[in-house]
Amino acid sequence: MKRGRLINNKSGQLAIFVIAAIVIVGIAAMVYLLFPSVLVDLGIVSGNPNAFIQNCIEEEIQNNVDKISLQGGSLEPENFILYQDNKIEYLCYNGNYYLPCVMQQPLLKQHIENEIRKGIKNQEDFCFDSLKESFEQRGYDVSLSQGETFIELLPKKISVNFEKELTLTQGGESQRFEKINIVSDNNLYELTSIANSILNWEARYGDSETTLYMSYYPDLKVEKKVQSEGSTIYILTDRNSGDKFQFASRSVALPPGIAIGGVV
């Protein structure tokens, strides 16, 4: 009986060792296969700086776009109304009663592009410093010149162009990049276009008919939140992507206790 138990114990230990060896080999294979692909995604092995910058800065772009979209197009709103803990900027405003509002950001698209550019500046500097260091660690001679950054809202995307001249040299061969371009998927272009249309109605007539927009754009949700002091908060949401843009207007405001058609 003791001998049989000894044999069984040895067989069990052997089985454990075999399983452990298989697991170790499997992990080693995964590291071998996956690690190079991770480096390629980061743009190091492939020598592709666009991939490196895309991975490094894309989240920061999205964070700034989200913040700007919830605050009426600005990182630090100056003339705003507080709504659900968000400072929502007035894009059309008149502090008097009975008078139509005046556009506060007539070039809304360009304003938002500039706000995104300012918002990502620190991360941009960090990413390009990391890019230079990473390629140098892999044996490249790196030349990187400074240049302008251009943000453009386009249909269904945000384009970011870094006008920085980058040269990578290794083994006597050089790669030159005159600019680095990345793209982030977002419907901010469409939402700000609709916001501009609503604002034009607010400036001309003191109000807008939101159901018309939802009839014309089935994937669009438009919420209109009228506030007691005469302001209106608009919330535009893409039903498919969840992308959102909200802003405030104060136009043809009525004194407290007065409603259209008479006294409340």
Side-chain angles (χ1 to χ4, degrees), residues 116-126 146 149:
I116 296 173
R117 181 183 61 81
K118 290 191 298 184
I120 67 172
K121 183 63 172 66
N122 289 339
Q123 184 67 15
E124 173 189 336
D125 293 341
F126 169 80
Q146 298 301 314
T149 298

Side-chain angles (χ1 to χ4, degrees), residues 11-251:
S11 298
Q13 291 174 355
L14 180 60
I16 292 172
F17 287 139
V18 170
I19 293 172
I22 292 173
V23 170
I24 292 171
V25 170
I27 292 174
M30 289 178 64
V31 170
Y32 178 80
L33 292 173
L34 294 179
F35 186 69
S37 66
V38 171
L39 289 178
V40 170
D41 288 341
L42 292 176
I44 301 300
V45 171
S46 65
N48 182 2
N50 285 282
F52 185 100
I53 297 298
Q54 180 91 34
N55 278 277
C56 183
I57 204 170
E58 188 170 26
E59 183 177 352
E60 183 70 8
I61 292 172
Q62 190 58 54
N63 289 341
N64 277 272
V65 168
D66 290 344
K67 183 177 181 180
I68 288 168
S69 297
L70 292 178
Q71 297 185 161
S74 295
L75 289 170
E76 298 294 339
E78 295 181 0
N79 185 19
F80 61 86
I81 182 172
L82 196 62
Y83 179 75
Q84 294 184 348
D85 297 326
N86 287 309
K87 295 178 180 179
I88 303 180
E89 188 164 35
Y90 285 104
L91 296 183
C92 198
Y93 183 80
N94 196 319
N96 299 311
Y97 294 113
Y98 304 113
L99 297 177
C101 62
V102 177
M103 290 285 199
Q104 303 298 295
Q105 293 291 349
L107 300 176
L108 179 59
K109 175 177 175 290
Q110 291 86 337
H111 172 72
I112 291 174
E113 290 168 346
N114 189 51
E115 289 292 283
I116 296 173
R117 181 183 61 81
K118 290 191 298 184
I120 67 172
K121 183 63 172 66
N122 289 339
Q123 184 67 15
E124 173 189 336
D125 293 341
F126 169 80
C127 288
F128 277 94
D129 287 343
S130 298
L131 172 72
K132 188 174 185 294
E133 181 180 350
S134 296
F135 276 102
E136 285 175 342
Q137 288 176 352
R138 294 191 61 81
Y140 287 89
D141 290 328
V142 182
S143 173
L144 178 64
S145 65
Q146 298 301 314
E148 295 293 326
T149 298
F150 297 95
I151 311 289
E152 187 174 9
L153 301 186
L154 297 171
K156 299 187 182 300
K157 63 183 179 181
I158 299 172
S159 175
V160 185
N161 282 303
F162 302 102
E163 300 286 345
K164 301 176 187 287
E165 187 172 302
L166 173 69
T167 303
L168 302 175
T169 304
Q170 188 179 55
E173 297 183 358
S174 295
Q175 291 177 284
R176 184 180 176 187
F177 303 86
E178 294 185 354
K179 65 179 180 180
I180 294 176
N181 173 255
I182 66 172
V183 173
S184 178
D185 295 334
N186 195 280
N187 285 355
L188 191 53
Y189 175 90
E190 288 80 3
L191 295 178
T192 53
S193 296
I194 294 167
N196 268 322
S197 178
I198 292 174
L199 290 164
N200 283 325
W201 279 89
E202 286 274 332
R204 291 181 182 180
Y205 308 111
D207 198 7
S208 70
E209 179 49 65
T210 57
T211 57
L212 295 175
Y213 294 95
M214 289 187 284
S215 298
Y216 193 77
Y217 302 101
D219 296 330
L220 176 69
K221 179 182 178 182
V222 182
E223 299 173 81
K224 185 177 180 181
K225 311 287 187 180
V226 180
Q227 307 300 296
S228 60
E229 42 65 61
S231 297
T232 301
I233 295 169
Y234 290 93
I235 305 174
L236 313 181
T237 306
D238 185 302
R239 298 180 190 271
N240 294 325
S241 66
D243 293 336
K244 180 181 293 188
F245 185 76
Q246 56 188 31
F247 59 95
S249 173
R250 190 178 192 275
S251 188

